[in-house]
Each structure stands twice: as structure tokens, then as C-alpha cells.
Amino acid sequence: MNYLVVRKSMMVFFCCVFSQFSSAQSGYKIAINMKNCNDTIAYLTFYQMDKTYIKDTCKIFKDGKIVFKGKEKLDRGIYSIVNQKKSIVFDFFIDEHTQIVEFDADATNMARQAVAKNSNQENDFFKYVKFLTDQNMKFMGEKDKIKGLAKKDSISKIKALQKTLERSIEDYESALAENNKSSYFGDFINLKMERTLKDVPTASNGRPDSLKVYKYYKSHYWDGVTFKDDAITRNPFFSYKLKKYFDAVVFPHPDSVTVEIDRIMRLPNQGTTIFKLLLAHFTATYETTNIMGFEKVFVHMADAYFKTGKAVGTYEDDVIDRIIKRADKLRPLLLGSVAPELSMIKAADRDKIAKMGFENVKTSAEVTQLFYDHVNEINPLFYKLSNITADYLVLVFWDVDCGHCQKEIPKLLDLYHDFQKEKKDVKVFSVYTQQELDKYLKYIDEKKLDWINVYDGVHYNNLTEKYDIYSTQVIYVLDKNKVIKARRIEVEKIRDIVKDIEAEYKKVK
């Protein structure tokens, strides 16, 4: 026998086998044997933060045979099989060991269940989902049994049921996480788990020490979670857990929130998917916040991440510029800032301004020229915000034709008169934002608006930029030093703000 020929043949055989093995291990293949399925299309989707995205589509299949496959491996995460009605049939996970996996499932099964033919961990995942479903159904069944009890008794029993349910889930998840350490499935369970102080000590007042309970919960909230791994963003529990942390765990103050955001943003590497998604999440959350005072968090995001170049790669340059400009506009309007100056014209001086020709100008150039032609006449007519003396100053921007304003301005007038009766030093600086002066003056006369009525008669103030007036009405409340204490609030909130300012004054005395 020729040794060289044999050796060459063995090498060829080895290379062929290795090539086939490599081919089998590259990419992904997800096969589903779907009973009772009449669909002609199915989708493979994945979770990312609080959204789901389509990864693959199977357009044609027969007898419930669905196959998704690709040349590149799937990212680790939780995926879903979705039917043509866009409803989830079942969820499952993908990691380095489940790139090739086969499931048996039933399209009529509403419990999102399946059986994996080649992965014990996938089956443990399905058992976990079933366990949660069963526990919830058990809780709802027990809850129905106590509907006829007295309110006090029913509340007590529901709390006991909740504790039992939570303890059962906690024990199940702890065992599951322990048995699946160093795996994506284990990380998935770990992220879901709630960690609470078991043996609660007694405080000095004889009650359970709630402060220690809170500190333990907060300090262990992210135990075992690595922000270096992009895969956690493809865990549907992550977005919920993150939101809950900032809504219910972090102290609800903008300064506390910014500290926590910066702490979390230091954990992932800059430029990674998780860094980008966290940056986008925090920026969008606090740019659109409805919680007064939390605009400060958005301004911090712009200063710390957009102005420093850390947002490059997450946002296009024009978006970065827009966010920086938006933050710069809000900065002087944050709570605690001195309100920007306003130099307005009193409604009573409308005729003087009209004679100068300001109601007939067409262009900004004409306005500028007219202003400097009459500057010596205009300056004495300016009614400046800084010149008003009041313990409490309500600054309201409104429009006669605004439907909301038509409801709220009469309410504000009534409140103003109530404050006068109470001998409170409250003044209202009422700014009309348009230039239809006949309507404005008629409304003042008909509604008997006996506060300070002004408008931007010589187009000197850019209200949109200076006070972020993109709609009406807008209300600010200032203290005696013109410091902004509230912004963009409804009339109903003004009295509470006045009380808060009054309390501050008393502390200083």
C-alpha cells in the first residue's frame, strides 16, 4: 500500500468532514412543526428594550412546517414565533447552543407553549413560562373566592395571597437561576428575579425597618446583571426593570436621577449596542417628561453626552445639534432659575404703539428700523417683568382664540380674586402672544381682566425662544425674587405652589 496515497486520502476525508461540520455549525436554523396551522406566512421576531423587531420571514410552508435559516448566527436573546395575524405563538431563547433548534407546537395553544426536540434548556424555559401562567391563574382563582368578604378582610387575604405567590415564584426562580449559571437562560432568569430582605429588623418605633428594606432592595436590584453584554437589551424584562428602577426605586428628584443615569451609563462600553440604547432611552424619556422639574435631566443628558461627543454613532449630526439647541433653550427655564426678562407693552398703550406703525410692518427689517426710529418713545412704555414687586407672580402666556385658554383664563381670574380677598400679595403678568389687538382688548373689557395685561407690541421679545411657547396656555409661577418655582402647570396647581413658596418664606424668617 502506498503510504503517501493513504495519507493524502485521509487528509481529503478529514477536510471534507471538517468542512461539513463547520457548515453545519455556522448560521442558524429554526424549524417548527406547527399543528393546526393554516397560515401561509410566519415571522421570527426578537425583543429589544420595549419593542419587537422582525428578524426573518417564512413566506411559504406546507403542513405546518416552518423553517427560518440564515448564514450568520443570531444574536443571543429572547425571540418569538409570530403568526400572520401578528400574534405571538410562543417565545424562546437563542444562545450559542441553540442556533439550530427544532420545536413541536400547536397554533391553537394560547399558553405560548412548545416542546424543543434538541434542547433541555428550551424546555426548562417553556416549563418556567407555564409555571408563571399557572401561578397567575391560581392567584386569580383564589382572589375570586374572597370577593364576598368585607373590604378589610379581603384586603388582608389578598395581601397574604400575593406574599404566597411572590414567595413561590422567588423560590422557583432562585433554583432555576442556580441550576443554569453561566448561561443566557440563567442570565434571563436572574434579570427577572426580585431580591428582598428576608429577615426584616425592627426600627426604633417598633415597626419593620422600611429604610433598611429599601436600601437592601436598591443595593441588590442589579445583582448579577452585566451591562457589558448587549444581550440583556434583548430580554423583555430589561426595559421593565429599568423603568421600574427609575420610577419606583430611585429617589424622585432630578439630581438623584442624573446621578443614577451617569452611574449606569459608565457600566457599558461606549459605542456598544447597550450604550446606544440606554442613551436613546434616557434622552427620549426626559425630553418628553410630563413631570415638572425633570427637564433638568434632559439638559444634563445634552451636556454630559451630546456636547461631549458621546452621542456620535447613536444619533445623526443634525439630531445631536437639535437636542443641544433644545437643551440650551430649556436651561434658563429650569426650576430654580431666575426668569428671563420680558419688556412688554401694556394693553392700555396699544394706541401709542399703533400710531408708530408697528401693526402694519411686514418684515423683520421694517420692525428693526421702526424700533430705532422710535426708540426714545418706546423705552418709557416698556413694562418689564423685573420691575414687578410681588411675593408671588403668576406669568401666563395665552391667546384669545385658544379653546383651552378660554376655559382656563376665567378660572385663573377667579383664583386671582380669591387671593386678593385672602390678602395674599399675588400678581398676574398676563401676556397675549398674538397681534390681533382688537380681539384682545375686547376680551379684556368683556371679561374684566383687572390684572397686568401686556403684549409684545414692538416685537422686542421672542416668546417662542425665550419662554418655550410652542402652544398656549403656558403658566409659570415665580417667587418674589423672580425665581421659577413652577412651569407649564394648570390653574388648579397654582394654589399648591403658592403654599409651597409661602412655606419657604416662613423657613427663612
Side-chain angles (χ1 to χ4, degrees):
M1 182 180 288
N2 189 320
Y3 174 75
L4 291 176
V5 172
V6 172
R7 185 177 179 187
K8 184 177 181 182
S9 298
M10 290 178 66
M11 288 298 294
V12 170
F13 174 76
F14 176 78
C15 289
C16 288
V17 172
F18 181 77
S19 175
Q20 290 173 0
F21 178 79
S22 298
S23 176
Q25 293 302 305
S26 63
Y28 68 90
K29 181 179 179 182
I30 299 166
I32 305 103
N33 306 305
M34 188 77 73
K35 292 181 180 180
N36 302 308
C37 180
N38 298 315
D39 289 356
T40 57
I41 190 169
Y43 304 95
L44 174 66
T45 67
F46 65 95
Y47 293 91
Q48 189 165 79
M49 298 296 282
D50 59 344
K51 296 178 175 62
T52 56
Y53 298 91
I54 295 175
K55 177 62 182 177
D56 201 351
T57 304
C58 180
K59 293 185 178 179
I60 302 174
F61 51 90
K62 294 181 180 180
D63 302 321
K65 303 293 183 183
I66 305 169
V67 177
F68 300 98
K69 58 183 178 180
K71 295 180 179 180
E72 296 183 1
K73 289 188 175 182
L74 294 171
D75 292 324
R76 295 188 305 152
I78 303 298
Y79 289 73
S80 306
I81 301 301
V82 177
N83 63 25
Q84 65 186 31
K85 293 181 179 179
K86 305 298 175 65
S87 297
I88 294 175
V89 182
F90 65 89
D91 295 322
F92 62 101
F93 71 87
I94 288 289
D95 64 6
E96 56 273 20
H97 304 297
T98 55
Q99 296 290 327
I100 298 175
V101 63
E102 184 174 358
F103 299 104
D104 288 336
D106 190 330
T108 61
N109 186 346
M110 303 306 292
R112 294 190 181 183
Q113 291 294 297
V115 175
K117 299 179 76 171
N118 59 338
S119 172
N120 290 331
Q121 271 198 341
E122 291 284 9
N123 288 324
D124 286 341
F125 175 87
F126 293 131
K127 289 176 185 176
Y128 171 62
V129 173
K130 186 176 186 304
F131 170 77
L132 292 180
T133 302
D134 290 346
Q135 290 296 305
N136 184 59
M137 290 178 66
K138 183 179 177 182
F139 174 77
M140 296 306 293
E142 293 295 324
K143 190 177 176 182
D144 286 339
K145 293 178 183 179
I146 60 177
K147 281 185 176 179
L149 298 178
K151 186 176 181 180
K152 184 178 179 181
D153 293 334
S154 63
I155 291 174
S156 176
K157 282 190 174 291
I158 287 174
K159 285 183 177 179
L161 284 172
Q162 285 176 330
K163 283 186 178 180
T164 302
L165 175 67
E166 290 167 1
R167 194 178 303 115
S168 178
I169 292 175
E170 188 176 318
D171 291 343
Y172 190 98
E173 289 176 339
S174 295
L176 206 54
E178 181 66 26
N179 294 334
N180 291 276
K181 281 184 176 179
S182 303
S183 71
Y184 180 75
F185 181 43
D187 292 343
F188 166 80
I189 296 297
N190 176 74
L191 186 65
K192 162 71 168 56
M193 290 172 61
E194 292 276 289
R195 293 170 176 84
T196 55
L197 186 60
K198 304 295 183 186
D199 300 316
V200 180
T202 302
S204 57
N205 60 7
R207 297 177 180 177
D209 195 331
S210 58
L211 182 59
K212 283 193 176 180
V213 170
Y214 165 75
K215 286 183 175 180
Y216 180 91
Y217 184 71
K218 185 173 185 291
S219 63
H220 292 277
Y221 193 86
W222 296 108
D223 279 5
V225 178
T226 171
F227 283 80
K228 300 290 186 186
D229 186 358
D230 288 339
I232 68 169
T233 66
R234 292 183 288 276
N235 182 332
F237 293 132
F238 177 65
S239 179
Y240 169 78
K241 194 176 183 81
L242 185 69
K243 185 178 186 303
K244 181 180 177 181
Y245 186 66
F246 281 91
D247 288 351
V249 181
V250 176
F251 184 72
H253 187 280
D255 291 344
S256 299
V257 170
T258 55
V259 168
E260 287 294 332
I261 287 176
D262 288 345
R263 185 182 69 81
I264 286 179
M265 290 301 297
R266 285 193 293 269
L267 298 177
N269 294 323
Q270 187 175 329
T272 57
T273 298
I274 185 171
F275 180 91
K276 293 177 181 179
L277 290 172
L278 286 171
L279 178 62
H281 168 76
F282 290 132
T283 303
T285 297
Y286 294 101
E287 181 181 15
T288 58
T289 181
N290 292 320
I291 306 175
M292 185 174 65
F294 279 73
E295 309 87 6
K296 186 177 183 181
V297 180
F298 170 69
V299 172
H300 170 79
M301 294 300 297
D303 292 344
Y305 300 95
F306 288 79
K307 289 186 176 181
T308 59
K310 293 178 181 178
V312 174
T314 303
Y315 294 89
E316 297 293 334
D317 290 346
D318 61 325
V319 178
I320 292 174
D321 290 342
R322 180 190 67 76
I323 287 174
I324 290 173
K325 288 178 181 177
R326 176 69 181 152
D328 288 342
K329 181 191 287 189
L330 291 177
R331 192 185 316 279
L333 301 174
L334 297 179
L335 300 190
S337 302
V338 175
E341 179 66 291
L342 286 173
S343 298
M344 309 302 290
I345 300 299
K346 290 188 290 184
D349 289 332
R350 180 266 179 112
D351 289 345
K352 297 176 184 177
I353 297 300
K355 286 179 182 178
M356 298 178 198
F358 278 97
E359 293 180 17
N360 299 316
V361 291
K362 304 290 185 185
T363 67
S364 59
E366 289 176 351
V367 170
T368 301
Q369 184 61 52
L370 198 58
F371 178 85
Y372 285 109
D373 287 346
H374 297 275
V375 65
N376 292 329
E377 301 168 67
I378 293 169
N379 280 334
L381 297 177
F382 273 141
Y383 200 114
K384 295 189 176 184
L385 181 69
S386 59
N387 291 338
I388 300 172
T389 302
D391 287 340
Y392 318 94
L393 180 57
V394 177
L395 178 57
V396 56
F397 299 88
W398 65 288
D399 172 20
V400 174
D401 292 327
C402 159
H404 183 60
C405 303
Q406 290 171 3
K407 295 177 182 177
E408 296 298 306
I409 290 298
K411 292 180 185 178
L412 179 58
L413 187 64
D414 289 341
L415 180 64
Y416 173 62
H417 290 155
D418 288 343
F419 282 137
Q420 287 183 317
K421 292 174 185 175
E422 297 165 16
K423 306 298 183 184
K424 288 190 184 296
D425 185 18
V426 176
K427 290 182 181 175
V428 175
F429 197 64
S430 172
V431 180
Y432 175 57
T433 60
Q434 303 301 316
Q435 294 294 324
E436 297 182 70
L437 279 304
D438 290 336
K439 283 185 181 180
Y440 177 44
L441 294 175
K442 181 181 179 183
Y443 191 93
I444 290 173
D445 183 57
E446 288 180 349
K447 302 298 181 182
K448 295 181 172 52
L449 305 185
D450 54 349
W451 49 40
I452 302 168
N453 295 298
V454 297
Y455 73 110
D456 194 11
V458 297
H459 308 279
Y460 187 77
N461 307 269
N462 188 339
L463 299 179
T464 301
E465 290 298 315
K466 190 175 281 189
Y467 274 90
D468 193 32
I469 308 300
Y470 52 82
S471 63
T472 52
Q473 76 183 19
V474 175
I475 294 176
Y476 286 74
V477 179
L478 318 180
D479 70 5
K480 62 184 177 183
N481 297 314
K482 308 299 184 297
V483 172
I484 299 172
K485 292 297 183 179
R487 65 184 298 271
R488 291 193 166 276
I489 62 170
E490 295 297 324
V491 172
E492 289 77 10
K493 298 289 184 181
I494 293 175
R495 183 173 287 280
D496 289 338
I497 301 300
V498 168
K499 286 180 180 178
D500 291 341
I501 298 172
E502 190 174 27
E504 290 181 13
Y505 292 160
K506 289 179 180 177
K507 286 181 183 178
V508 176
K509 290 181 180 180

